[in-house]
Amino acid sequence: MTNLLDPHAPATSPRTVDEPPAPYGDVTRSDAAFRAFLHGLPGVDQVGAEARTTVLASRSIKTTAKAWAIDTAISMVDLTTLEGADTPGTVRSLAAKARRPDPGDATCPQVAAVCVYGDLAGVAREALAGTGIHVAAVATAFPSGRASREVKLADVKDAVANGADEIDMVIDRGAFLTGRYLDVYEEVVAVREACGDAHLKVILETGELVTLDNVRRASWLAMLAGADFVKTSTGKVSPAATLPVCLVMLEAVRDFRAATGRQIGVKPAGGIRTTKDAVRHLVLVHETAGPDWLSPDWFRFGASSLLNDLLLQRQKLRTGHYSGPDHVTVD
């Protein structure tokens, strides 16, 4: 069994790993091998995680740092619409807001991506042409993940063919929770292959994983299978992106880079609605994974209503007074 060194190290200290399972080592690919490795990861102290995030969330942020944080958070937003009533017009409207979040201020940064269902990825791609804004599409029978692998892979290939350059997949939580780790691993590997050049974000749906230990194990399993990002939630299940969950995922990507040299991104999604929420997450990123992750390349917010609050707070810093909610467009 692969052992982690210093399992009692504090949250701010990276832990190293010797010879994790394939593809980074020669361990036989089996449920037993993955169980030995994943259950050998250090247990998460839930009380300690909650206490640490409470302390970090209480930090006071100076005005200049807040201005930087707001712009950084805006640049990290995956502006999202995932409703059954979505239309091409809905997506074009969202793309316009992604390009110019504040039409009255050209200095406002654009967002990182627009996230839609795969059948509308082509509309988003056309509307965002030449902007550098990514088109993310949810796939693999989002949000439940309840479909055959053949259907899931067809879903991914269709989204990529339509113009998505990022795929947000969901893992099979039933397989994970019953210990069928090899099934989960092989499915992520297959989706990674189906993505081609598109980046892969793996949604863990942490609200259904029950424990923080499972969040850590699922994060490692997704990264070992080739994820470019690990993502908390679909936004359809509560609880979603809590600070303790994000802390555990940030520790996982930090430790994974120390073990393998490969950097993986993190995307909290679901329930992040205010500037305070976003700033707290940025503090958590800096203090846990480090400043290397303070970039849209490595950290994203899955949100839509969050952007409006960021814009209102940005206008407050610029003008000295709050604008009404009618000063930002409705998503």
Side-chain angles (χ1 to χ4, degrees):
M1 181 174 118
T2 301
N3 294 318
L4 292 183
L5 303 179
D6 193 11
H8 302 295
T12 52
S13 300
R15 303 178 179 94
T16 57
V17 181
D18 293 326
E19 298 178 2
Y24 296 102
D26 296 325
V27 179
T28 302
R29 299 181 190 180
S30 67
D31 282 330
F34 279 116
R35 184 177 300 108
F37 176 76
L38 296 173
H39 287 259
L41 293 168
V44 180
D45 177 359
Q46 182 166 340
V47 173
E50 291 171 352
R52 177 162 174 75
T53 55
T54 298
V55 169
L56 292 176
S58 67
R59 286 196 176 175
S60 177
I61 306 297
K62 295 181 179 179
T63 300
T64 52
K66 184 176 181 181
W68 173 88
I70 288 173
D71 277 6
T72 300
I74 291 172
S75 75
M76 293 173 166
V77 168
D78 281 7
L79 196 56
T80 302
T81 182
L82 296 171
E83 302 298 331
D86 286 344
T87 66
T90 303
V91 174
R92 292 188 189 100
S93 176
L94 204 66
K97 184 167 184 175
R99 295 194 308 267
R100 288 290 300 272
D102 186 346
D105 184 0
T107 68
C108 182
Q110 62 185 24
V111 305
V114 167
C115 185
V116 297
Y117 280 109
D119 63 313
L120 292 168
V123 177
R125 170 56 61 207
E126 182 180 357
L128 295 170
T131 65
I133 298 172
H134 295 284
V135 175
V138 295
T140 63
F142 177 97
S144 69
R146 300 254 59 89
S148 69
R149 187 169 300 176
E150 182 181 11
V151 169
K152 292 178 181 180
L153 295 180
D155 196 14
V156 172
K157 292 174 183 177
D158 183 64
V160 172
N162 285 341
D165 62 356
E166 297 183 349
I167 294 295
D168 290 30
M169 72 165 287
V170 289
I171 66 166
D172 183 337
R173 284 85 75 189
F176 179 87
L177 290 170
T178 54
R180 290 185 285 123
Y181 300 129
L182 183 60
D183 284 350
V184 178
Y185 172 85
E186 290 181 339
E187 186 159 280
V188 176
V189 169
V191 171
R192 169 68 273 169
E193 183 178 354
C195 283
D197 293 333
H199 280 118
L200 175 62
K201 306 193 199 88
V202 178
I203 305 171
L204 309 180
E205 198 65 287
T206 54
E208 293 183 342
L209 297 187
V210 184
T211 69
L212 294 179
D213 284 328
N214 277 341
V215 172
R216 174 169 284 167
R217 292 165 187 158
S219 297
W220 272 88
L221 189 58
M223 293 187 294
L224 289 167
D228 296 301
F229 267 74
V230 284
K231 178 178 171 181
T232 61
S233 324
T234 61
K236 308 295 186 181
V237 172
S238 182
T242 67
L243 286 173
V245 160
C246 195
L247 170 69
V248 170
M249 292 172 69
L250 287 165
E251 288 180 342
V253 299
R254 176 199 66 193
D255 297 346
F256 187 82
R257 187 177 74 169
T260 68
R262 181 168 173 245
Q263 186 162 335
I264 308 296
V266 175
K267 179 180 173 180
I272 303 173
R273 297 184 177 90
T274 69
T275 299
K276 285 184 179 180
D277 291 336
V279 171
R280 287 167 180 162
H281 277 83
L282 294 182
V283 170
L284 192 64
V285 172
H286 185 273
E287 295 300 317
T288 306
D292 286 353
W293 271 266
L294 287 173
S295 157
D297 290 336
W298 304 111
F299 195 79
R300 301 278 185 85
F301 293 106
S304 53
S305 60
L306 170 64
L307 181 57
N308 283 350
D309 193 66
L310 288 166
L311 294 174
L312 291 173
Q313 294 297 327
R314 191 177 191 275
Q315 290 170 4
K316 167 64 165 58
L317 288 180
R318 183 166 57 91
T319 65
H321 62 270
Y322 284 105
S323 300
D326 55 335
H327 284 71
V328 292
T329 58
V330 177
D331 300 325

